[in-house]
Amino acid sequence: MSILESDVRNKTNVKEQAKAAQKASKELAILNEKDKNEALFILADELEEQASFILNENEKDLQNGREKDFSQAFMDRLSLTEERIADFAEGLRQVAGQDDPVGETVSEWTLDNGMRVEQKRVPLGVIGMIYEARPNVTVDATGLALKSGNAIVLKGGSSAIHSNKAIIQVIQQGLAKTSIPADAAQLIATTDRKASSEMFTMKEHIDVLIPRGGGSLINTVVNEATVPVLETGVGNCHIYVDKEADLEKALNILINAKTDRPAVCNAAETLIVHKDWLNEYQSVLENVLKEHGISVHGDEFVVSAFADAVPASEKDWAEEFLGLSIAIKTVESTEEAIEHIDRYGTKHSEAIVTEDAATAEVFMSRIDAAAVYHNASTRFTDGSALGFGAEIGISTQKLHARGPMGLPALTTTKYCMTGDGQIR
Amino acid sequence: MSILESDVRNKTNVKEQAKAAQKASKELAILNEKDKNEALFILADELEEQASFILNENEKDLQNGREKDFSQAFMDRLSLTEERIADFAEGLRQVAGQDDPVGETVSEWTLDNGMRVEQKRVPLGVIGMIYEARPNVTVDATGLALKSGNAIVLKGGSSAIHSNKAIIQVIQQGLAKTSIPADAAQLIATTDRKASSEMFTMKEHIDVLIPRGGGSLINTVVNEATVPVLETGVGNCHIYVDKEADLEKALNILINAKTDRPAVCNAAETLIVHKDWLNEYQSVLENVLKEHGISVHGDEFVVSAFADAVPASEKDWAEEFLGLSIAIKTVESTEEAIEHIDRYGTKHSEAIVTEDAATAEVFMSRIDAAAVYHNASTRFTDGSALGFGAEIGISTQKLHARGPMGLPALTTTKYCMTGDGQIR
């Protein structure tokens, strides 16, 4: 019986695993960057060497998925190959190459009484990661956590359980050859949903929860957790085409944001278009949408004017399509566009296309979102596209970190005061 | 019937008030620093001019407090005077003098494709402040919120309801003379506790909750809120006197941290002392504690060795005394001291007294707290003592802000991207 199997059978395993992770986090927090990087390289090699073991275990999840008749898209995300495992390894090597934020002096000064104050960057401690079917999160999140000096407790989706168990077993075997304690990466290897809820309130041992997945997973965590949550992801993103929008830019940006990867959070879901612009360019817009196989859910004006539009429901305005559909709302002013985004946006990424700098300025300053764009695609809201390196998710909340979260988002600070007897 | 009275009678007032605050926050967010400062000066003058009205209303709370036989300490916190109101006004003028974080460019760069990325500091939006009896919080929190471009929804304790209503009425009258919409400062003017719980889940209209008060208030908010919480305050702080501690520094720091203001969160609650040091200095320590009227709750060793010590209970180790009692734990190593703090500390402020730099370094790097001190009193964990200016509270959590929170803690950032048609 492996350690993981015994854990699954032990009812108190979540708490015990979180405690073990916390203990490991204290050793990990004071490791230097060189030791952490060496460890990441060893993990990368280990994953490549053990690829066939991981693929065998992955096959069990795929088999199960076929029996349950999961969608093709789902099976694609679940499926591993030798090449994907090599990508995991390469991802770890890239994280090793990112700057270590830990130990950075954020600010320092000396008080009149001679006491020195240093604000230093330190790891958060233990990160609880709750996610759905993609086994790549198991590797990516572990790499980012370890590099930033944090232990991690992973709770993946049940459909990827064999893959995740195999990956974490390889990671723990790898860690045994490094300065990082093997307990620093833990997988809650059960398909019992209660295991997640146990994590929600484990404030003593888990410092932050990061949910990654669909809206319902994220809402459950936000609503039930007392552990602080870094909320990631749902993006109901809008492209506002102003009356002064350049035709080519508008179409390029719209089609890129809608079709490049329709299922991701920075894809566009609604086009808001100024009626003056639409009057001039309606036929070319309709043709381009048709060419790209995009179906239109429109407001009254659009439904009456477009050949193939269906009426948009409240849900169409409020939620992601995650596919080749778009909602189209017509407006008579930028103000009206901003009001629509205020009402339906999820504070992720919003774009305006216009040649009018003053209008752009109003939009950029008034829109409340992690990322706002003038004449560029919302698809750039992504750690690697913006040059941060790997990211652990995209925060749509305002506290702590907003937008793509790289290594610094996994740290906090500590005030370190040095005196020679100062009192108040 | 005043506006406030009608609000109290209107069952939906909390939501309506939060919505009004949110609407105001959008105008406030784009005001410049000069306009915000002018407004704070006008509010300061208004408070001084209307002092007698506020004092009359405060008298109603005091009368009620006397009827209910509230403690002297409680009545002291509740009681206003002409001088205290002048202090409120002075506090607002000082906040006007603090740097405005809003609009600051935190970082900026240009991608290879020519798209410019600017990370700008912006207000959080609407702050929900839930607090207990001190009417000064009504003024202080409003000043900090408005200066950082945020609207605020205040829910004070029922024992200060008349004082808070009077203060907010004066503030709203003052705001009417400024560029800040009067709706930007709202008081939930009811003694109904349900009003607080309505705020807990009002994610659409409130961006962050800040509870200030005792442990039970804070726990209720943390456990029940789905709105993100900035957790403030409970400080179970330790002074560790190492075997290499200087006698004078140790006693000065201990007495200052314990007795200067025993009821505040940065006061010391437990002395951890190395047995070698205690062997040498026990009698002088006992005398000094006695001189200052400090009663001792000790571990077994202390109880057997000290003349007047009682055994410390689990509660004594885990909670604040908030008065002239101290728990004393003896240890044989710094490791043991760190373990005790890991177990019982609240991650607020922790101090070591030692002349051994290596031991200090271990303690400073290993202790997980907002503030760690070497040879200085924990009493310095305070916005004004550290030179931040006024603070809205002291964060004991790790996300977003840690330690004393000044104006920057009331902001978030936004990525503003400017392109000329870039797509991915």
Side-chain angles (χ1 to χ4, degrees):
Chain A
M1 187 168 74
S2 77
I3 293 170
L4 287 168
E5 280 163 350
S6 73
D7 275 338
V8 175
R9 287 174 202 173
N10 179 347
K11 285 200 173 173
T12 63
N13 68 333
V14 180
K15 184 159 190 177
E16 290 310 313
Q17 286 184 263
K19 276 172 80 170
Q22 187 176 37
K23 190 152 178 275
S25 77
K26 295 189 184 291
E27 284 180 57
L28 176 51
I30 53 179
L31 280 190
N32 62 41
E33 181 170 11
K34 186 165 156 284
D35 287 344
K36 291 187 284 190
N37 288 346
E38 275 175 18
L40 290 175
F41 278 105
I42 289 171
L43 294 188
D45 294 346
E46 199 78 16
L47 282 168
E48 287 181 328
E49 281 162 27
Q50 305 277 338
S52 62
F53 165 65
I54 295 171
L55 292 177
N56 280 341
E57 295 299 306
N58 179 241
E59 182 51 36
K60 296 182 190 169
D61 289 329
L62 294 175
Q63 181 59 33
N64 180 49
R66 283 187 289 265
E67 280 163 20
K68 291 191 173 150
D69 212 16
F70 286 152
S71 73
Q72 192 51 48
F74 191 94
M75 293 295 284
D76 281 348
R77 289 199 293 272
L78 188 55
S79 167
L80 297 181
T81 60
E82 195 110 11
E83 199 189 354
R84 281 198 179 177
I85 292 173
D87 287 346
F88 293 176
E90 196 43 39
L92 289 178
R93 293 181 188 114
Q94 278 175 15
V95 170
Q98 287 181 238
D99 288 341
D100 183 359
V102 172
E104 180 201 341
T105 299
V106 178
S107 58
E108 57 181 326
W109 64 96
T110 302
L111 297 184
D112 291 343
N113 65 12
M115 188 178 82
R116 195 155 60 93
V117 182
E118 267 183 292
Q119 187 187 21
K120 284 188 179 170
R121 203 167 277 289
V122 297
L124 285 170
V126 179
I127 294 167
M129 189 89 200
I130 298 173
Y131 54 109
E132 289 175 340
R134 299 169 188 251
N136 66 307
V137 175
T138 313
V139 181
D140 295 349
T142 300
L144 288 164
L146 298 179
K147 174 70 188 247
S148 52
N150 295 287
I152 189 161
V153 178
L154 300 147
K155 174 70 179 74
S158 55
S159 50
I161 182 109
H162 294 99
S163 313
N164 287 336
K165 278 170 73 168
I167 291 169
I168 205 75
Q169 191 174 319
V170 172
I171 286 175
Q172 290 183 336
Q173 280 165 7
L175 285 176
K177 303 175 188 173
T178 75
S179 329
I180 299 178
D183 279 344
Q186 301 272 343
L187 177 75
I188 308 298
T190 165
T191 54
D192 184 356
R193 276 164 182 265
K194 278 188 199 151
S196 312
S197 10
E198 274 188 72
M199 288 171 72
F200 294 170
T201 53
M202 215 169 270
K203 286 192 74 169
E204 275 179 64
H205 306 299
I206 298 178
D207 292 287
V208 60
L209 291 176
I210 306 179
R212 264 184 75 172
S216 93
L217 170 75
I218 293 169
N219 282 337
T220 304
V221 176
V222 169
N223 290 334
E224 296 184 13
T226 55
V227 175
V229 177
L230 283 180
E231 198 172 339
T232 65
V234 174
N236 188 30
C237 306
H238 301 73
I239 308 285
Y240 169 49
V241 173
D242 179 51
K243 65 178 172 185
E244 302 296 339
D246 174 82
L247 175 65
E248 196 186 332
K249 288 179 192 168
L251 296 181
N252 278 344
I253 289 170
L254 175 66
I255 296 303
N256 177 257
K258 181 67 253 176
T259 68
D260 183 42
R261 285 187 69 191
V264 297
C265 60
N266 57 23
E269 305 295 344
T270 296
L271 166 67
I272 305 175
V273 58
H274 196 289
K275 282 187 179 167
D276 293 355
W277 191 92
L278 192 63
N279 282 338
E280 200 162 347
Y281 301 116
Q282 185 190 323
S283 63
V284 51
L285 174 64
E286 275 196 79
N287 285 339
V288 166
L289 291 170
K290 204 168 182 178
E291 252 170 51
H292 287 85
I294 301 167
S295 65
V296 172
H297 301 230
D299 63 12
E300 256 181 64
F301 183 90
V302 168
V303 170
S304 67
F306 281 46
D308 295 310
V310 300
S313 66
E314 188 64 16
K315 188 165 177 283
D316 292 339
W317 301 124
E319 295 180 19
E320 298 169 283
F321 290 107
L322 301 174
L324 286 179
S325 297
I326 197 161
I328 302 184
K329 158 93 181 165
T330 51
V331 296
E332 289 178 355
S333 67
T334 303
E335 205 53 45
E336 213 185 321
I338 293 171
E339 275 165 26
H340 183 90
I341 295 171
D342 271 353
R343 182 159 171 201
Y344 293 109
T346 53
K347 299 187 166 53
H348 192 295
S349 301
E350 307 293 351
I352 182 171
V353 186
T354 187
E355 297 303 303
D356 182 331
T359 302
E361 173 57 28
V362 168
F363 184 91
M364 302 286 278
S365 67
R366 288 285 303 283
I367 289 293
D368 182 19
V372 287
Y373 292 84
H374 174 206
N375 288 345
S377 169
T378 52
R379 287 277 296 124
F380 287 102
T381 307
D382 173 277
S384 83
L386 290 180
F388 294 6
E391 65 178 36
I392 201 149
I394 296 172
S395 163
T396 51
Q397 63 176 22
K398 295 183 183 179
L399 294 190
H400 190 66
R402 200 178 194 198
M405 297 187 288
L407 293 171
L410 301 180
T411 65
T412 181
T413 61
K414 172 156 90 169
Y415 287 104
C416 300
M417 269 63 102
T418 314
D420 53 5
Q422 282 82 351
I423 61 173
R424 244 182 114 185
Chain B
M1 187 167 76
S2 79
I3 294 170
L4 288 167
E5 281 164 348
S6 74
D7 276 338
V8 175
R9 287 173 203 175
N10 179 347
K11 284 198 174 174
T12 63
N13 70 331
V14 180
K15 183 156 191 180
E16 290 309 314
Q17 285 185 263
K19 276 172 80 168
Q22 188 176 37
K23 188 152 180 274
S25 78
K26 295 190 184 288
E27 284 180 56
L28 176 51
I30 52 179
L31 280 188
N32 63 40
E33 182 170 13
K34 185 165 157 285
D35 286 344
K36 291 187 284 190
N37 288 346
E38 275 175 17
L40 291 175
F41 278 106
I42 289 171
L43 294 188
D45 294 346
E46 198 80 15
L47 283 168
E48 288 181 327
E49 282 162 26
Q50 305 278 337
S52 63
F53 165 65
I54 296 171
L55 293 176
N56 280 341
E57 295 299 307
N58 178 242
E59 183 52 36
K60 297 181 188 168
D61 289 329
L62 294 175
Q63 181 58 33
N64 179 49
R66 282 187 290 266
E67 281 162 19
K68 290 189 173 152
D69 212 16
F70 286 153
S71 74
Q72 192 52 48
F74 191 93
M75 292 296 283
D76 280 349
R77 290 200 292 272
L78 187 55
S79 167
L80 297 181
T81 60
E82 193 110 13
E83 198 188 353
R84 281 198 178 176
I85 291 173
D87 286 346
F88 293 175
E90 196 44 37
L92 289 179
R93 294 182 187 115
Q94 279 175 15
V95 169
Q98 286 182 237
D99 287 340
D100 182 358
V102 172
E104 182 201 341
T105 299
V106 178
S107 58
E108 57 181 326
W109 64 96
T110 302
L111 297 185
D112 291 343
N113 65 12
M115 189 179 80
R116 196 154 61 92
V117 182
E118 268 183 292
Q119 187 188 20
K120 284 189 180 172
R121 203 167 276 291
V122 297
L124 285 170
V126 179
I127 294 167
M129 189 90 200
I130 297 173
Y131 54 108
E132 289 176 339
R134 299 169 187 248
N136 66 306
V137 174
T138 312
V139 181
D140 295 350
T142 300
L144 288 163
L146 298 179
K147 174 70 188 249
S148 53
N150 294 287
I152 190 162
V153 178
L154 300 146
K155 174 71 179 74
S158 55
S159 51
I161 183 103
H162 294 98
S163 313
N164 288 335
K165 279 169 74 168
I167 291 169
I168 206 75
Q169 190 174 320
V170 172
I171 285 176
Q172 290 183 335
Q173 280 165 8
L175 286 177
K177 303 175 187 171
T178 75
S179 330
I180 300 178
D183 279 344
Q186 300 273 342
L187 177 75
I188 308 295
T190 165
T191 55
D192 184 356
R193 276 163 182 266
K194 279 187 200 153
S196 312
S197 10
E198 274 188 72
M199 288 171 71
F200 294 169
T201 54
M202 215 169 271
K203 286 192 75 170
E204 276 178 64
H205 307 299
I206 298 177
D207 293 287
V208 58
L209 291 175
I210 307 179
R212 266 184 73 172
S216 94
L217 170 75
I218 293 169
N219 282 336
T220 303
V221 177
V222 169
N223 290 334
E224 297 185 14
T226 54
V227 176
V229 177
L230 284 179
E231 197 172 340
T232 66
V234 174
N236 189 30
C237 307
H238 301 74
I239 308 285
Y240 169 49
V241 173
D242 178 52
K243 65 179 171 183
E244 302 297 338
D246 174 82
L247 175 65
E248 196 186 332
K249 288 179 193 168
L251 297 180
N252 278 343
I253 289 170
L254 175 67
I255 295 305
N256 177 257
K258 182 67 252 178
T259 68
D260 183 42
R261 284 186 69 190
V264 297
C265 60
N266 58 21
E269 305 295 344
T270 297
L271 166 67
I272 305 175
V273 58
H274 197 288
K275 281 187 178 167
D276 293 355
W277 191 91
L278 193 62
N279 282 338
E280 200 161 346
Y281 300 116
Q282 186 190 324
S283 63
V284 51
L285 174 65
E286 275 196 81
N287 285 339
V288 166
L289 290 170
K290 203 167 179 179
E291 253 171 49
H292 287 86
I294 301 167
S295 66
V296 172
H297 302 230
D299 64 11
E300 255 182 62
F301 183 91
V302 169
V303 169
S304 67
F306 281 46
D308 295 311
V310 299
S313 66
E314 187 64 16
K315 188 166 178 284
D316 292 339
W317 300 124
E319 295 180 20
E320 298 171 281
F321 290 107
L322 301 173
L324 287 178
S325 298
I326 198 161
I328 302 184
K329 158 93 180 165
T330 52
V331 296
E332 288 179 356
S333 68
T334 302
E335 206 54 44
E336 212 184 322
I338 292 171
E339 276 166 25
H340 183 89
I341 294 171
D342 270 353
R343 182 157 172 203
Y344 294 109
T346 53
K347 300 185 164 54
H348 192 295
S349 301
E350 307 293 352
I352 182 171
V353 186
T354 187
E355 298 302 303
D356 183 330
T359 302
E361 173 55 29
V362 168
F363 184 91
M364 302 286 278
S365 66
R366 289 283 305 279
I367 288 293
D368 182 19
V372 287
Y373 292 85
H374 174 206
N375 287 345
S377 168
T378 52
R379 287 276 296 123
F380 287 102
T381 307
D382 173 277
S384 84
L386 289 180
F388 294 5
E391 65 179 36
I392 201 149
I394 296 171
S395 163
T396 51
Q397 64 177 21
K398 295 183 182 178
L399 294 190
H400 189 67
R402 201 177 193 198
M405 297 187 287
L407 294 172
L410 301 180
T411 66
T412 181
T413 61
K414 172 157 91 169
Y415 287 105
C416 301
M417 269 63 100
T418 314
D420 52 6
Q422 281 84 350
I423 61 173
R424 247 182 113 185

